Amino acid sequence: MSKVLIIGAGGVGSVVAQKCAAAPEVFSEIMLASRTKSKCDAIAALITDRKIQTAQVDADSVPELVALFNEFQPELVINVALPYQDLTIMDACLETGVNYLDTANYEPKDEAKFEYSWQWAYQDKFKEKGLTAILGCGFDPGVTSIYTAHAAKHHFDEIHYLDIVDCNAGDHGKAFATNFNPEINIREVIQKGRYWENGQWVETEPHEIKQALNYPNIGPRNSYVIYHEELESLVKNFPTLKRARFWMTFGDEYLTHLRVIQNIGMASIKPILYKGVEIVPLQFLKETLPKPEQLADGYTGETSIGCRIKGIKDGKEKTYYVWNNCKHQDAYEDTSSQGVSYTTGVPAMLGAMLFLTGKWRKPGVFNVEEFNPDPFMELIGKYGLPWQEEINGDLEVN
């Protein structure tokens, strides 16, 4: 029985709050906080069988966070706010003696760059305070990293090749929309690609490497190599990897919109003056696009995300594919959310549960693959994201 504070009232925050509320035996008290309290109140209204508290907080302000933490006194903060705010929230946790969990690594607001080095630098501080910080407990990063740890523990003596494959075959009916925060999403997918091979990072032009891959219950979809944050921690924690890549599907229409947005300067994060007011084009564009939580009603189709792995077991080559398919309609029926928010929010709740029940608890800063994957794999299906596996099948990836 523990208090938990959720920061962030978007689509993922809504899923986390509802899933935590459904487990009162672990989450005795819940507070949901964000910059806009009315968003928290709207989510709280969805939860009819118990009351959760709401609060206003500016997650860019360490003093505001500290004041809220001291008032509510949570055992754990679940950070599903913007990646820009990871470090201020971690600073507030250190100052108040609160444990920490997030779903995405830190990136500076003024530079489209994300890496774990900023958060890994907190290792000694959290260890000295006896606090736990759990990094990247969404789906990717998160479940994909746990899938990799599960494979390493139960299926391989050495993992040599890892391909994380992420397909959203859903249809939200909009001309152009992103499935999570548009500002973060667009910054991420327009960057150059990067993958790990033979002990070094290989950089590619955006969407340079393309291959049609087959996804369970979906079929073939054009998939592109992009850089994704879990690659950084996985190649560190599984040093036998010879190559590690991340593939994501994009439709032709989506890529066309993305090119136009870039060509007319709306993807820029450099401030400009408009009628004497400084604005950031991408932040302005974000305000014109549908909110991810607005896509849920009527969203059809499903996601398919997993790990395709090749390595050695007992001296023989082996392949292993582990994945989850999540239907947007099922996510909506469960939490009034679309599938991408659902697949991120459920693992965040489960990671918090494993921490609070003592299964994932040790002082310091850790990526999820550094914990025992077994309790997570045993429970994730119960909470809405069952996994499937195929041994010695065709991994397809070249």
Side-chain angles (χ1 to χ4, degrees):
M1 298 282 282
S2 302
K3 289 184 177 183
V4 65
L5 171 61
I6 304 161
I7 301 179
V12 176
S14 178
V15 174
V16 174
Q18 292 179 69
K19 287 295 188 177
C20 287
E25 70 281 4
V26 176
F27 304 98
S28 58
E29 292 185 52
I30 302 165
M31 176 179 280
L32 177 62
S34 83
R35 192 186 303 269
T36 307
K37 187 174 180 294
S38 60
K39 291 183 178 180
C40 301
D41 294 336
I43 293 171
L46 296 173
I47 301 168
T48 57
D49 55 348
R50 64 181 295 195
K51 180 177 176 59
I52 70 169
Q53 300 178 56
T54 62
Q56 189 278 330
V57 71
D58 180 358
D60 290 320
S61 169
V62 173
E64 282 196 30
L65 291 164
V66 166
L68 181 62
F69 294 3
N70 283 332
E71 178 186 349
F72 184 61
Q73 296 187 341
E75 186 172 352
L76 175 71
V77 165
I78 302 175
N79 170 18
V80 287
L82 295 174
Y84 314 141
Q85 297 160 333
D86 288 0
L87 301 188
T88 54
I89 297 173
M90 292 179 79
D91 285 336
C93 284
L94 286 169
E95 189 168 334
T96 55
V98 176
N99 300 283
Y100 173 88
L101 179 146
D102 68 27
T103 62
N105 68 358
Y106 173 74
E107 61 178 281
K109 189 176 290 187
D110 59 355
E111 183 182 7
K113 178 182 180 181
F114 50 94
E115 60 182 49
Y116 277 116
S117 62
W118 289 288
Q119 291 177 278
W120 286 343
Y122 280 67
Q123 169 70 19
D124 290 342
K125 295 178 183 178
F126 270 78
K127 191 172 184 178
E128 288 166 6
K129 292 272 189 175
L131 299 172
T132 301
I134 301 172
L135 306 183
C137 197
F139 205 104
D140 44 355
V143 175
T144 51
S145 305
I146 296 162
Y147 283 169
T148 305
H150 167 80
K153 182 175 181 179
H154 296 286
H155 292 279
F156 293 94
D157 297 320
E158 290 187 4
I159 291 179
H160 291 166
Y161 300 95
L162 167 66
D163 287 278
I164 298 170
V165 291
D166 181 329
C167 173
N168 180 11
D171 181 6
H172 47 55
K174 309 292 185 184
F176 181 82
T178 63
N179 292 287
F180 58 95
N181 184 286
E183 183 181 356
I184 303 301
N185 183 276
I186 292 172
R187 281 169 57 127
E188 175 183 301
V189 301
I190 65 175
Q191 300 307 305
K192 289 189 175 183
R194 192 157 62 119
Y195 64 92
W196 180 261
E197 188 166 32
N198 296 326
Q200 63 183 359
W201 292 105
V202 179
E203 191 173 87
T204 69
E205 291 302 312
H207 314 132
E208 176 185 343
I209 299 177
K210 168 186 173 183
Q211 185 177 342
L213 300 176
N214 284 284
Y215 293 86
N217 204 42
I218 293 171
R221 289 289 189 276
N222 285 335
S223 307
Y224 301 82
V225 169
I226 68 170
Y227 179 64
H228 221 249
E229 60 211 74
E230 64 263 48
L231 295 180
E232 182 183 11
S233 66
L234 289 171
V235 300
K236 172 189 171 189
N237 291 316
F238 298 96
T240 62
L241 278 167
K242 297 179 180 179
R243 188 183 67 207
R245 300 179 295 191
F246 186 100
W247 302 76
M248 184 172 280
T249 61
F250 301 110
D252 292 341
E253 186 175 356
Y254 178 90
L255 290 177
T256 298
H257 276 85
L258 208 57
R259 283 193 294 271
V260 172
I261 287 169
Q262 290 177 269
N263 288 341
I264 63 176
M266 290 305 296
S268 173
I269 61 174
K270 184 178 180 180
I272 62 171
L273 281 177
Y274 174 72
K275 293 186 176 181
V277 178
E278 191 175 81
I279 65 169
V280 175
L282 181 55
Q283 291 178 356
F284 176 81
L285 175 67
K286 168 189 170 182
E287 296 304 315
T288 71
L289 294 174
K291 302 288 188 292
E293 57 268 29
Q294 295 172 341
L295 304 177
D297 191 7
Y299 207 146
T300 58
E302 60 192 289
T303 64
S304 181
I305 310 174
C307 297
R308 303 184 183 192
I309 302 171
K310 180 190 284 188
I312 299 294
K313 180 67 174 178
D314 297 329
K316 297 179 180 179
E317 188 175 273
K318 179 178 182 179
T319 67
Y320 180 67
Y321 180 23
V322 54
W323 73 93
N324 163 266
N325 274 39
C326 176
K327 293 182 179 178
H328 291 286
Q329 303 97 312
D330 291 346
Y332 185 74
E333 288 178 10
D334 189 13
T335 59
S336 299
S337 302
Q338 41 98 338
V340 177
S341 297
Y342 191 83
T343 54
T344 305
V346 171
M349 178 282 300
L350 183 52
M353 177 180 287
L354 293 178
F355 168 77
L356 293 171
T357 55
K359 296 180 177 67
W360 278 11
R361 185 188 288 254
K362 53 186 176 181
V365 176
F366 303 97
N367 294 87
V368 291
E369 68 269 19
E370 296 178 84
F371 295 97
N372 181 7
D374 294 351
F376 188 98
M377 296 292 283
E378 289 164 6
L379 290 173
I380 188 67
K382 172 184 175 182
Y383 291 103
L385 297 175
W387 51 279
Q388 300 180 66
E389 61 184 355
E390 180 181 69
I391 297 173
N392 288 332
D394 180 9
L395 298 183
E396 295 187 300
V397 285
N398 296 327

